[in-house]
Amino acid sequence: MGITETAVLDALKAVRDPDLNRDIVALKFIKNLRIDDGAVAFTIELTTPACPVKDQMRDQARAVVSAIPGVTSVAIEMTAQVRAAVSPDGAKAAVPGVKNIIAVGAGKGGVGKTTVAVNLAIALSQLGSRVAMIDGDIYGPNVPIMLGLQTQLATDGQKIVPAEQYGLQVVSMGFLTGDDAPVIWRGPMLHGVIQQFFREVRWDRVDYLIVDMPPGTGDVALSLSQTVPVSGAVVVTTPQTVSLADTRRAVRMYQKLNVPMLGLVENMSHFVCPGCQMESDIFGKGGGETLARDLSLPFIGRIPIYEPIRVGGDTGVPITIGESQSPAARAFRSAAEQLAAQLSIASYKRPIPLMPVS
C-alpha cells in the first residue's frame, strides 16, 4: 500500500507552533502536499517570514515525515503569509496596502527610540517581510538622518510616493522641511499631517508599518488610536529607575487608548568593552525585563550599548546594515522575531469577520 495524504498529515500533527500552541495541520500551515511514490513534497506557510522557530519547525516536519514507512525523500518549501493582527471597524478603516501598524514609543526622550524603530524595521525587512516607516515624531523627524535619506516627497498625481531605502518604504516630516527649520504646529495640524501619512500615501503591500512616535504622551498617539487600526505598540526603555517610571506611564497611555501592548525593549542595556570584552552595566541591567514581568507584558529584547549603533545612526548606515553580523545587529533581529511572533499570536486571537451572505 502506498503512502497516503492522511498518513503524512497525521505525522505532521506532531509538529507544533510554540507561539500559537497548536499543531501545524490544525493551523492550516500545510499547503500543496504532493506524493510521488516515496517522494513527499509540501509547503509550510507560516504567519510571518520572521518566525523565530521556522528552521526548527522545518527540521521537525522533515523528521516525522521521513519516519513514515516507504518515504524515500522529503522536500519542504517554507513560505509565509502575514495576517492582520486587528480588524478594522467603522471609525478606524484599514489603511490601503497595509496589514499591520506598529507604534514604537517611549515615555521620555533620550532612550534611543528612533534607533530601535529604524533597526527593528530593517531587521524585519531582512527577515523577509515587506516593511514601511512613518516618521511620526513631527517635531523631531530624525528617521531620514538615520536612514541616510535626503529627498522631497513626490506624488504620482494621486497619492504621495514614499521614499525607499534599505528595503523600507518611508515618509517623514523631514522630507517637507529643512534640517534647521522648526515645526511650530498646533494639535489639529498634527492630526492632519498624520492622517495624510496614512491615507494619502501609496503603500505597496506592506506587512508591517512601523510608526516612530514622539516621546512621551501626546496628540500623535491620540490621533493614531482614534483613526487607524493599530496592531499594537512597542515601548522602548533604558534600565534605570527614572526611565522605567516614564515607561510605565507610556504603557498605561497605550492601554487607556485601547492600543494592544506588544512588549518592551530594553535599550542601552549593557556595555561590552571592545578591548577586554568585560561587560559593564552602565545604566543597570534587567530593569526593562522586570518591568515587563510586573506589567504582564512580553519582553521583546535587550539591546547593548555599542558605539557603532550611534555612529550608524549619525551616518545613515544603521547597525543592521553596516555590521549585520555583530552582536548588536543580532539583538535587533532577535527582537524583530519576537515582535513578529507577538503579532502572529494576536492575529489568531482576533475574531474572524463573518462573510456576507449573497
Side-chain angles (χ1 to χ4, degrees):
M1 183 176 177
I3 302 159
T4 66
E5 183 174 305
T6 300
V8 174
L9 293 175
D10 283 345
L12 287 169
K13 289 177 182 177
V15 183
R16 299 181 69 83
D17 184 307
D19 295 315
L20 300 174
N21 198 30
R22 294 169 65 190
D23 71 78
I24 62 176
V25 177
L27 289 167
K28 302 188 186 319
F29 284 1
I30 306 302
K31 310 288 184 182
N32 196 25
L33 173 58
R34 307 174 305 282
I35 302 171
D36 184 7
D37 291 330
V40 178
F42 54 89
T43 297
I44 300 178
E45 184 181 85
L46 302 174
T47 53
T48 174
C51 175
V53 293
K54 63 182 176 182
D55 292 341
Q56 173 188 329
M57 213 176 292
R58 180 198 59 218
D59 294 345
Q60 288 178 346
R62 178 174 285 113
V64 296
V65 174
S66 296
I68 299 173
V71 170
T72 57
S73 67
V74 180
I76 303 174
E77 180 185 5
M78 303 296 292
T79 63
Q81 183 66 36
V82 175
R83 295 159 50 113
V86 296
S87 301
D89 58 33
K92 296 180 285 189
V95 175
V98 175
K99 291 182 179 177
N100 291 288
I101 298 168
I102 305 160
V104 178
K108 64 192 291 291
V111 300
K113 167 189 57 64
T114 302
T115 298
V116 170
V118 164
N119 282 285
L120 280 179
I122 293 173
L124 284 168
S125 177
Q126 290 173 331
L127 290 164
S129 306
R130 293 185 62 84
V131 186
M133 283 199 78
I134 287 178
D135 190 350
D137 194 347
I138 302 299
Y139 294 123
N142 292 324
V143 168
I145 296 172
M146 292 194 176
L147 290 175
L149 271 171
Q150 290 184 322
T151 186
Q152 297 292 313
L153 288 180
T155 73
D156 60 6
Q158 293 181 314
K159 288 196 170 186
I160 298 168
V161 178
E164 294 194 15
Q165 184 79 309
Y166 302 133
L168 308 180
Q169 303 169 46
V170 186
V171 294
S172 171
M173 189 68 191
F175 299 153
L176 302 174
T177 62
D179 289 342
D180 58 354
V183 179
I184 307 172
W185 283 2
R186 294 185 182 275
M189 298 173 73
L190 286 175
H191 180 84
V193 75
I194 290 296
Q195 282 304 298
Q196 279 191 301
F197 282 172
F198 281 108
R199 303 290 181 190
E200 297 180 26
V201 172
R202 193 168 296 285
W203 300 114
D204 183 14
R205 295 173 294 129
V206 174
D207 294 321
Y208 305 113
L209 174 56
I210 304 289
V211 184
D212 180 42
M213 301 290 288
T217 56
D219 288 345
V220 174
L222 186 60
S223 293
L224 198 69
S225 68
Q226 291 177 337
T227 56
V228 295
V230 183
S231 297
V234 174
V235 175
V236 181
T237 187
T238 53
Q240 68 265 46
T241 302
V242 171
S243 178
L244 294 173
D246 291 322
T247 300
R248 191 181 291 269
R249 283 188 282 271
V251 168
R252 296 305 186 204
M253 174 196 70
Y254 285 115
Q255 291 173 332
K256 190 169 184 178
L257 294 174
N258 294 317
V259 174
M261 277 300 306
L262 297 170
L264 299 183
V265 172
E266 183 177 286
N267 194 31
M268 306 184 206
S269 177
H270 57 278
F271 172 74
V272 178
C273 173
C276 67
Q277 301 303 308
M278 289 292 291
E279 186 175 306
S280 300
D281 300 331
I282 296 174
F283 296 122
K285 183 178 178 181
E289 191 166 5
T290 299
L291 180 61
R293 188 164 52 248
D294 290 347
L295 297 176
S296 300
L297 299 175
F299 183 67
I300 299 296
R302 181 181 290 111
I303 310 300
I305 300 171
Y306 183 52
E307 185 181 9
I309 296 177
R310 190 270 306 164
V311 173
D314 288 346
T315 60
V317 184
I319 190 72
T320 41
I321 296 292
E323 290 189 18
S324 62
Q325 298 308 310
S326 66
R330 289 199 299 269
F332 278 118
R333 278 197 297 278
S334 175
E337 289 174 340
Q338 294 305 315
L339 171 58
Q342 291 302 318
L343 286 162
S344 293
I345 293 168
S347 76
Y348 272 86
K349 288 181 178 178
R350 77 181 179 93
I352 304 298
L354 295 174
M355 297 298 292
V357 178
S358 57

